Amino acid sequence: MKVQSLIEVREPYFALTELELDAPGRVSAHILAEQPRGHELGALPAAEAGRHLAIAGSCACASLQSDSGKHFYLANRAHLRRETDASPDTSGLLNVDARALHRERRQARAECALRDGLGRTLYTLDVSYSVLQERVFERLFSAHRQDLRRAPRAASLPLESLMHMRRNPYREAFPFVHARLDAEQGVARLEALPAHLCAGHFPLYPAMPVAVLMYGLSSLSGDVL
């Protein structure tokens, strides 16, 4: 069984390619940077780096499961660190590896690293998860279920809806609106997030990814500075 099938995160939010289980509790994969960097330097925004690394970490932890059922790995604590000021090699794929530090019934923890094509470490992530079995998650979040697979036939959908279905929202900046921006303070808001902007996180239970929130906070900080 592919380790990806043990976690409930799907494309396009899941963007790891050539995911390999190197050993129980260890995985490696590749990514291509997707989101605009905005004010940030480096190969990709910090929030996007955290997104890919946290998913890789959940895969590493899932490989240690005692059963083959799907689980939801909800990141509840993380420390993302940029490791170098060197100009990264952005000519191709970036490399991801993750190692599970421990995996218990309801908790897990992993350490992960993102490297460029020259082998230089760009980011590291130490991340902890709350782990929920699929049936437990479904019971807790049943009120938020949205079965988008039951949408009307494509021929009856408006063009705007069809474009949303085909678009990868994680290749764009998210729609934060500035309410105040000056040299001392920035205040922004994010309107109610449509389900299509949470594509793949999670199927049937669209929820705002932490990466969306952190991208907005980082962008707003850059705007103020």
Side-chain angles (χ1 to χ4, degrees), residues 157-175:
L157 288 174
L159 179 59
E160 183 179 3
S161 296
L162 287 173
M163 292 175 64
H164 285 326
M165 292 171 63
R166 295 169 182 167
R167 190 176 74 195
N168 179 352
Y170 308 111
R171 292 177 179 168
E172 305 171 17
F174 290 98

Side-chain angles (χ1 to χ4, degrees), residues 1-8 62-63 65 68-71:
M1 176 180 291
K2 292 183 178 180
V3 68
Q4 179 186 348
S5 66
L6 299 176
I7 67 169
E8 194 63 334
S63 71
Q65 288 179 194
S68 59
K70 286 186 177 181
H71 290 68

Side-chain angles (χ1 to χ4, degrees), residues 91-102:
S91 60
L93 294 171
L94 300 174
N95 305 309
V96 175
D97 60 71
R99 178 172 71 95
L101 297 179
H102 76 260

Side-chain angles (χ1 to χ4, degrees), residues 89-216:
D89 174 20
T90 59
S91 60
L93 294 171
L94 300 174
N95 305 309
V96 175
D97 60 71
R99 178 172 71 95
L101 297 179
H102 76 260
R103 166 66 167 87
E104 300 175 356
R105 181 181 178 187
R106 297 180 181 176
Q107 297 289 331
R109 183 182 171 198
E111 61 177 11
C112 320
L114 177 67
R115 298 181 174 87
D116 68 8
L118 299 178
R120 294 177 295 191
T121 302
L122 306 180
Y123 286 96
T124 57
L125 179 74
D126 185 328
V127 55
S128 299
Y129 310 88
S130 295
V131 183
L132 298 180
Q133 292 180 321
E134 187 173 22
R135 59 181 177 79
V136 175
F137 183 93
E138 290 176 348
R139 183 173 71 249
L140 291 174
F141 295 94
S142 59
H144 304 285
R145 181 182 173 94
Q146 294 186 49
D147 193 346
L148 304 179
R149 298 171 304 178
R150 297 178 182 176
R153 291 181 179 274
S156 64
L157 288 174
L159 179 59
E160 183 179 3
S161 296
L162 287 173
M163 292 175 64
H164 285 326
M165 292 171 63
R166 295 169 182 167
R167 190 176 74 195
N168 179 352
Y170 308 111
R171 292 177 179 168
E172 305 171 17
F174 290 98
F176 283 80
V177 179
H178 287 140
R180 176 186 172 187
L181 182 63
D182 55 40
E184 296 182 351
Q185 185 181 31
V187 179
R189 68 177 185 271
L190 179 64
E191 305 294 348
L193 203 64
H196 69 266
L197 291 183
C198 307
H201 185 276
F202 300 99
L204 303 183
Y205 299 89
M208 180 193 293
V210 173
V212 172
L213 179 60
M214 296 313 299
Y215 185 90

Side-chain angles (χ1 to χ4, degrees), residues 55-76:
I55 292 174
S58 69
C59 289
C61 294
S63 71
L64 299 179
Q65 288 179 194
S66 59
D67 63 82
S68 59
K70 286 186 177 181
H71 290 68
F72 287 77
Y73 286 78
L74 309 179
N76 56 32

